[in-house]
Structures are given as C-alpha cells and as structure tokens.
Amino acid sequence: MDFTSARKSMVEYQLKARGIQAPNVLHAMEKIPRHLFVPEELQEYAYEDHPLSIGCGQTISQPYMVAIMTELLELKPSDKVLEVGTGSGYQTAILAELAQYVISIERIHELAEEAKKRLTNLGYTNIKIICGDGSKGYPPEKYYDAIIVTAGSPEVPESLKKQLNEGGRLVIPVGGANLQVLLKIIKQGNDYLIEKHTSCIFVPLIGSEGWRKIGEN
Ligand code: SAM
C-alpha cells in the first residue's frame, strides 16, 4: 500500500475539506506515518476517517479529531504542552512537531511503554511519557502553555485549569459517556474563557478528576 499517497488524501479530503486550515497542523499530519501507530493488521485502515483499536480497550482517535484539537491549541514552537491520554502516541508526535516540549500521561502501563518505544524509534527527543492518572495533570512540570485531554471527562478537572500558564489553552471533551462536546478553555488572569466546539465521542477519562472507575459512566 502507498502510505504516502494515503496520507496526502487524508489531508486533502478529510482535513482541508472539513475546514482545517492551520498550515503547521496540516504539515505535521502529512509528515507523520500514522500507520506505524496502529497494530500491523490494521495498517491499511490507518488513513481512513474513523478511530481504530490499539488494544487494551483503547483507540487511536479519528484523524479529523486529532487535527481539530491540535488546531484549537494554537501551538507555538516555544510552547510546553501536557497531553492526557497518550494511547498510541500519534497525537503526541503531532504535538512534538509543533511545540518545544511535550509531557504525555497514560494510565495503562502497556500502552505507555509501547508509545515510548515507538516515539524513540521515530527519533523524538522532546517528549516525556509518564504512566499515571493525568486527570489531575502533572504538577512537577507545571505550568503549561497548552493542555490536551484525549479522553472524555464528566467535567473540566480543576487541577488542569490551575496548571495553565497565563493565556494557556486547555482542549478537552466534556459530557456523558456516549457523547461529549469539545471545549476550549483559555486562562485570562483569574478568569477562564470557555468556547464550545464540535460534538465528539471519546473513551472515558478514568481518574480522580474524571470518571472514578470503569463502569461508573
Ligand atoms: N491520543 C491517543 C492517540 O493518538 O492514540 C488516543 C487516546 S485514547 C482515545 C484515550 C487514552 O486515554 C487511552 O489510552 C486511555 O487509557 C487514556 N486515559 C484514560 N484516562 C486517563 C487518565 N486519567 N490519565 C491518563 N490517561 C488516561
């Protein structure tokens, strides 16, 4: 299969055609070999317009969702980013192309280890993967210019808001187990500006500031 052409088509027909405009996002998604982030037997579907299973009951998000969330973060090359929900590490790689430093937290040890290996093999040196509960953020490295949560939360975790730099952006799906709304929260002084974006469906954020346990949602 010609993965390079598949990637170009994904950018043209799934991303640009649906309104993704940021050149840095489009460039990163055309560059990164998404098929290397999915199990071998699913590689031929890696550039299609839907999520795919990555094992442990988790998914790699649909390309459009990765693109819109990344665009909303408005990343600059000097930014420090926190990602909650490493999964396959694909979104992590996109962030690492656009920002200076990325810390990514994954609660499932096996996924965190696989993502770490994959990203090291691809040559990334500006990523730190942590295994743990990212619903409360990662205080040792606060504050962050941008925080992205790639799992659905019943509400916006207070700890994540508090770990934003002034002007920092938090992008997070919030709502029930079967449907969420993508929120963008911007820290402005003591206030937080909230923008509502598209509807979405994510696996649950499980943790002390998300869903308390599997099955609660
Ligand atoms: N961004 C990923 C990618 O590109 O493959 C997709 C992430 S998947 C939709 C959501 C991930 O969030 C899962 O791997 C899940 O284990 C993880 N997760 C759920 N709750 C979490 C938590 N409290 N802290 C860290 N990771 C969590």
Side-chain angles (χ1 to χ4, degrees):
M1 182 167 172
D2 181 353
F3 291 119
T4 305
S5 306
R7 215 154 41 240
K8 276 188 199 302
S9 299
M10 173 188 80
V11 167
E12 271 320 302
Y13 303 114
Q14 293 176 44
L15 308 186
K16 284 190 190 169
R18 292 173 71 184
I20 303 297
Q21 292 180 341
N24 59 350
V25 177
L26 295 168
H27 180 258
M29 291 194 64
E30 187 160 336
K31 173 178 170 188
I32 294 173
R34 184 174 157 90
H35 60 283
L36 298 183
F37 291 81
V38 304
E40 211 172 328
E41 65 276 14
L42 296 180
Q43 286 193 346
E44 61 183 298
Y45 309 111
Y47 299 98
E48 294 186 0
D49 189 20
H50 48 74
L52 288 172
S53 168
I54 53 169
C56 304
Q58 305 302 322
T59 53
I60 178 172
S61 305
Q62 172 197 26
Y64 173 71
M65 200 46 68
V66 173
I68 191 167
M69 290 177 87
T70 311
E71 189 167 65
L72 288 171
L73 289 174
E74 296 185 82
L75 295 175
K76 294 187 287 299
S78 58
D79 280 350
K80 179 160 77 171
V81 184
L82 175 68
E83 177 190 30
V84 178
T86 315
S88 67
Y90 175 68
Q91 172 78 73
T92 323
I94 303 276
L95 300 171
E97 291 284 333
L98 306 187
Q100 186 169 72
Y101 180 43
V102 181
I103 294 152
S104 183
I105 309 191
E106 169 57 53
R107 63 178 278 275
I108 299 175
H109 181 75
E110 190 180 327
L111 292 179
E113 286 305 309
E114 278 173 19
K116 202 183 282 181
K117 265 190 232 143
R118 202 173 272 138
L119 292 162
T120 303
N121 289 343
L122 285 169
Y124 288 98
T125 54
N126 60 340
I127 295 172
K128 177 161 153 183
I129 307 273
I130 309 278
C131 185
D133 175 12
S135 71
K136 48 189 183 193
Y138 189 63
E141 303 240 13
K142 70 184 181 187
Y143 295 89
Y144 303 98
D145 302 300
I147 301 178
I148 176 172
V149 181
T150 65
S153 183
E155 51 203 35
V156 181
E158 279 301 309
S159 296
L160 295 184
K161 284 161 70 179
K162 289 190 184 137
Q163 289 171 38
L164 285 172
N165 262 329
E166 178 58 26
R169 292 83 59 202
L170 163 63
V171 173
I172 177 168
V174 174
N178 300 321
L179 187 66
Q180 304 97 34
V181 175
L182 197 58
L183 299 184
K184 174 174 176 178
I185 293 145
I186 305 158
K187 179 170 164 60
Q188 291 186 340
N190 292 328
D191 291 332
Y192 295 93
L193 185 73
I194 301 178
E195 294 174 6
K196 280 188 184 177
H197 291 272
T198 183
S199 304
C200 49
I201 303 173
F202 277 83
V203 295
L205 179 75
I206 310 235
S208 60
E209 295 191 42
W211 298 97
R212 289 303 165 90
K213 54 182 188 293
I214 297 169
E216 181 196 52
N217 40 329

